[in-house]
Amino acid sequence: MTKPTAKLEIGGESPEHEFDILKGSVGPDVINIASLYKDTGMFTYDPGFTSTASCESKITYIDGDEGILLHRGYPIEQLAEHGDFLEACYLLLYGELPTKAQKEDFDYRVTHHTMVHEQMTRFFTGFRRDAHPMAVMCGVVGAMSAFYHDSTDISDPHQRMVASLRMIAKMPTIAAMAYKYHVGQPFVYPKNELSYAANFLHMCFAVPCEDYKVNPVLARAMERIFILHADHEQNASTSTVRLAGSSGANPFACIAAGIACLWGPAHGGANEAALNMLSEIGSVDRIPEFIDRAKDKNDPFRLMGFGHRVYKNYDPRAKIMQKTCHEVLGELGIKDDPQLDIAMELERIALTDEYFIEKKLYPNIDFYSGITLKALGFPTTMFTVLFALARTVGWIAQWKEMIEDPKQKIGRPRQLYTGATHRDYVPIAKR
Ligand code: CMC
């Protein structure tokens, strides 16, 4: 059988240039243009990487048109329904669902890395109380490389594994510390008898002066939020982690880079932005005004929590998140939440309005996760921190896959240069 190829004719010149077409196990084929520059002296131009596969990966598959999300082949709906977060972590990291013994061992190893070096607590006091917790996360996670030197040698598989477990285990502790610092309460140490999600709620909401019992419905909701955010293929923050890691930087520094990227409102910051938008709208009768603004080309306003670069159908995670959101509101007895009323009406309008239908702008996961996290008791500034906590495993799995790929090279995109051409320096007195 002849190998499929793509032919490129430049300006009618012959011969044509021929490139291999690579087939994945599912999803679009890709044209391998790695030799394009050598063959033609030209680069490709694709701002925002809308048509560019930056790597080969076996971790996550998304079909944005059909609204499908698979981790290692397993649909996100099934993982969120039947599994827990640490099982999803194991799957992302090692490629298979764990056996009972493997799961117990993994849970034990993660659970016994939950404490952070006591000296790290001093970092927090260096930040202003009103600092955004994502700013604190960027700093403290980056600083982990200053504490855990014994797991920064990326050429050693054992050190890579220890660094991975440390980050998955310590991220909830650091996130909870960022929260406690933010609200002016003492840090709460992890409790290893609790599940990953329950432990996180405990570290956030327990106080030394009274007992705190984790509500299992809320712990399950937290678990779901973590599973739904665990990985999402080559998004901006994951690509940032890969690019940072491609230079050989240590994993703690790479994850700090991912956190910085995630902070932006077009990415992980959207859940915070969505809730702020619901507050700004204020009441259901003001929705049409905001819908008009979202459609107005001359107004930069966008409906936060709507639209996705990849999903041009209902985000499968948003469906599960919507259900979880209602479970949490039911459990907490929140019936008449004005923000929820606005959210439901916005959703209804956006799903029936010609503009949103034509542009395939469906509610995304951030739309519902914001409302759920607010009901769980988190301030909006913590929303993106929780996203970072959950996404850490995805970043690590993708980083690990890249490091273990023998074809891996430093990431180094090229450019279309449109600046000034050569000119001679003019002394300041003559300008
Ligand atoms: N509200 C109103 N119009 C929108 C929106 C929106 N939320 N999103 C996209 N559009 C319009 C946009 O104006 C453009 O219109 P036109 O074709 O007339 O110029 C068209 O839809 C395509 O938009 P785009 O910006 O070219 O699409 P993109 O793939 O570059 O952007 C996005 C994707 C997520 C950045 C964008 O939809 C957006 O800004 N949404 C709001 C922020 C948000 O909710 N982000 C969370 C993403 S999901 C979480 C994650 O994975 O990080």
Side-chain angles (χ1 to χ4, degrees), residues 83-363:
D84 65 20
F85 179 65
L86 287 182
E87 184 180 56
C89 290
Y90 186 98
L91 177 69
L92 288 168
L93 287 171
Y94 302 113
E96 294 298 336
L97 286 170
T99 61
K100 195 165 174 293
Q102 286 167 333
K103 174 75 166 61
E104 280 169 12
D105 175 60
F106 185 70
D107 286 5
Y108 181 88
R109 285 189 295 151
V110 171
T111 306
H112 288 82
H113 273 110
T114 48
M115 277 178 69
V116 295
H117 194 294
E118 191 62 16
Q119 227 177 305
M120 284 188 83
T121 58
R122 295 201 214 136
F123 280 144
F124 287 85
T125 47
F127 292 106
R128 279 174 54 140
R129 280 272 174 212
D130 59 356
H132 194 290
M134 278 300 273
V136 175
M137 292 298 288
C138 287
V140 177
V141 174
M144 283 175 85
S145 39
F147 273 91
Y148 302 106
H149 296 286
D150 58 344
S151 55
T152 52
D153 177 359
I154 62 159
S155 64
D156 177 351
H158 176 72
Q159 292 202 26
R160 290 203 297 271
M161 191 268 292
V162 173
S164 305
L165 291 179
R166 278 181 168 152
M167 272 184 285
I168 295 167
K170 294 183 199 311
M171 204 58 86
T173 313
I174 295 172
M177 288 167 91
Y179 170 68
K180 286 298 200 189
Y181 186 70
H182 197 49
V183 294
Q185 291 180 4
F187 298 141
V188 173
Y189 286 104
K191 228 184 191 174
N192 286 350
E193 75 203 32
L194 296 174
S195 72
Y196 191 88
N199 183 36
F200 178 63
L201 290 175
H202 170 260
M203 288 189 289
C204 287
F205 299 122
V207 284
C209 47
E210 57 187 60
D211 277 347
Y212 174 79
K213 247 186 124 28
V214 181
N215 177 326
V217 176
L218 306 189
R220 182 69 195 139
M222 194 76 259
E223 193 92 39
R224 285 233 170 96
I225 292 176
F226 290 161
I227 297 172
L228 296 180
H229 287 86
D231 190 48
H232 212 226
E233 204 227 67
Q234 309 310 322
N235 55 81
S237 56
T238 302
S239 300
T240 300
V241 170
R242 279 189 179 254
L243 197 56
S246 75
S247 72
N250 78 68
F252 303 106
C254 296
I255 300 304
I259 293 174
C261 177
L262 187 77
W263 194 357
H267 192 8
N271 49 16
E272 180 178 349
L275 217 81
N276 291 341
M277 178 192 72
L278 296 180
S279 295
E280 195 191 342
I281 296 177
S283 61
V284 170
D285 55 300
R286 289 192 66 207
I287 292 177
E289 181 194 321
F290 284 84
I291 295 274
D292 287 347
R293 285 187 59 196
K295 294 179 187 175
D296 183 355
K297 279 229 156 296
N298 300 315
D299 189 330
F301 174 78
R302 282 186 170 200
L303 278 189
M304 285 296 150
F306 285 80
H308 199 275
R309 168 59 63 79
V310 179
Y311 292 116
K312 302 302 172 195
N313 198 325
Y314 218 106
D315 177 343
R317 302 169 304 167
K319 278 191 201 154
I320 309 167
M321 204 56 244
Q322 184 197 39
K323 194 167 155 248
T324 306
C325 178
H326 285 287
E327 278 168 19
V328 167
L329 296 174
E331 176 67 16
L332 297 173
I334 303 172
K335 285 198 189 75
D336 301 313
D337 184 284
Q339 282 182 332
L340 188 69
D341 293 344
I342 299 169
M344 294 302 118
E345 183 58 7
L346 256 189
E347 181 196 30
R348 191 192 64 74
I349 295 177
L351 290 174
T352 48
D353 188 293
E354 208 35 56
Y355 174 91
F356 292 91
I357 294 171
E358 191 210 320
K359 294 191 186 302
K360 301 187 173 166
L361 298 171
Y362 294 88

Side-chain angles (χ1 to χ4, degrees), residues 74-87:
Y74 296 101
I76 188 68
E77 293 86 346
Q78 294 180 21
L79 295 171
E81 181 70 29
H82 306 296
D84 65 20
F85 179 65
L86 287 182
E87 184 180 56

